[in-house]
Amino acid sequence: KQFLSLSDNSVDLQADESARVTLNFIGKQVGSFPGEIIATADGIEKSIPIILEVISEQVLFDVKLDIPSAYSEVEPGDELKFQITLLNVGAPEKVDVFATYFIKDLRGNIIYEETETFAVEKQISYSKSFKIRDGTAPGDYVAVVEVRYADSFAVSSQLFRVVEKKGLVDREVMTKSTWTMLVLVFILTGFVFLLIYKLAPIRKKSKKE
């Protein structure tokens, strides 16, 4: 609420009518600020996740965070992997920059934080991975990278989703299916042996005749 205001908080509509609501963002401080807009009508609720990225006036570095589609959904206990690209757009030479990584929920609560320093001359690309803690509640989260050098601040962020862990359930289903298969194979094998046992005397009798 401290970064966003709406032109209207409530609208009345008839059938086939529409209304436009304007969102006004205010960059009060640098950083990445996740949140959501919730719309409710006749007991139906829809939410729109939003990330507000505020950078410094003087930008010497540009940064891009990209989460591959294979990691757009992860389970608790899994690793989240993403690619970072850093571009020197104003620093005169090879300099040391501070990169801080965050995992946040849509309320802005920090789930994970890590900082590292490294030298950048022109451009650098690298991958990072973080383990999603067991017990993390399912829902939308934001991966954030902030880059600082002198008075320059750049930020990039992207949404991802934590889904309910299904591995244990799948293993239980697989175990039950395996046991069911073994029982069926055992019954079928026993039936075949019984059939052979019954038919053997008939074949011997036929040969004698």
Side-chain angles (χ1 to χ4, degrees):
K1 291 182 179 180
Q2 64 269 35
F3 299 102
L4 172 64
S5 63
L6 304 177
S7 59
D8 296 284
N9 289 323
S10 177
V11 292
D12 294 323
L13 297 174
Q14 300 298 323
D16 298 325
E17 286 186 345
S18 63
R20 182 182 298 273
V21 177
T22 303
L23 284 60
N24 299 304
F25 292 92
I26 303 174
K28 295 183 177 180
Q29 62 190 74
V30 296
S32 176
F33 307 98
E36 57 184 341
I37 295 176
I38 299 175
T40 305
D42 292 334
I44 300 174
E45 183 175 285
K46 297 290 184 179
S47 64
I48 304 170
I50 287 181
I51 306 173
L52 173 63
E53 297 177 353
V54 185
I55 62 175
S56 59
E57 293 184 5
Q58 180 185 22
V59 178
L60 300 178
F61 284 89
D62 191 18
V63 62
K64 173 65 175 176
L65 182 149
D66 181 61
I67 299 177
S69 58
Y71 295 93
S72 59
E73 291 188 352
V74 293
E75 297 180 0
D78 288 349
E79 282 194 342
L80 172 69
K81 295 185 179 181
F82 50 83
Q83 187 77 16
I84 303 292
T85 301
L86 254 176
L87 181 63
N88 185 340
V89 295
E93 56 186 8
K94 188 175 183 178
V95 295
D96 292 332
V97 300
F98 293 90
T100 304
Y101 313 96
F102 297 97
I103 302 295
K104 298 181 179 181
D105 61 18
L106 292 187
R107 294 182 177 272
N109 299 314
I110 297 175
I111 309 300
Y112 181 86
E113 181 178 354
E114 177 186 332
T115 300
E116 63 179 344
T117 306
F118 48 85
V120 180
E121 184 173 4
K122 293 182 179 180
Q123 180 175 330
I124 184 173
S125 295
Y126 58 97
S127 59
K128 294 288 292 185
S129 62
F130 302 104
K131 184 177 180 181
I132 304 300
R133 293 199 305 260
D134 290 323
T136 301
D140 290 321
Y141 292 83
V142 182
V144 184
V145 57
E146 296 180 352
V147 177
R148 297 177 183 269
Y149 168 71
D151 294 329
S152 173
F153 178 89
V155 61
S156 181
S157 41
Q158 188 173 339
L159 284 165
F160 70 96
R161 176 176 287 271
V162 175
V163 297
E164 188 175 354
K165 195 166 186 176
K166 300 178 182 178
L168 181 61
V169 176
D170 292 341
R171 284 196 293 270
E172 291 178 352
V173 172
M174 186 178 296
T175 302
K176 291 180 181 179
S177 300
T178 303
W179 276 107
T180 303
M181 182 84 62
L182 289 175
V183 170
L184 290 175
V185 170
F186 180 78
I187 293 174
L188 182 60
T189 303
F191 178 76
V192 170
F193 276 109
L194 180 62
L195 188 62
I196 294 173
Y197 177 78
K198 292 292 185 179
L199 291 178
I202 298 176
R203 292 181 62 187
K204 289 180 180 180
K205 185 177 179 181
S206 298
K207 287 181 180 180
K208 289 180 180 180
E209 291 178 350

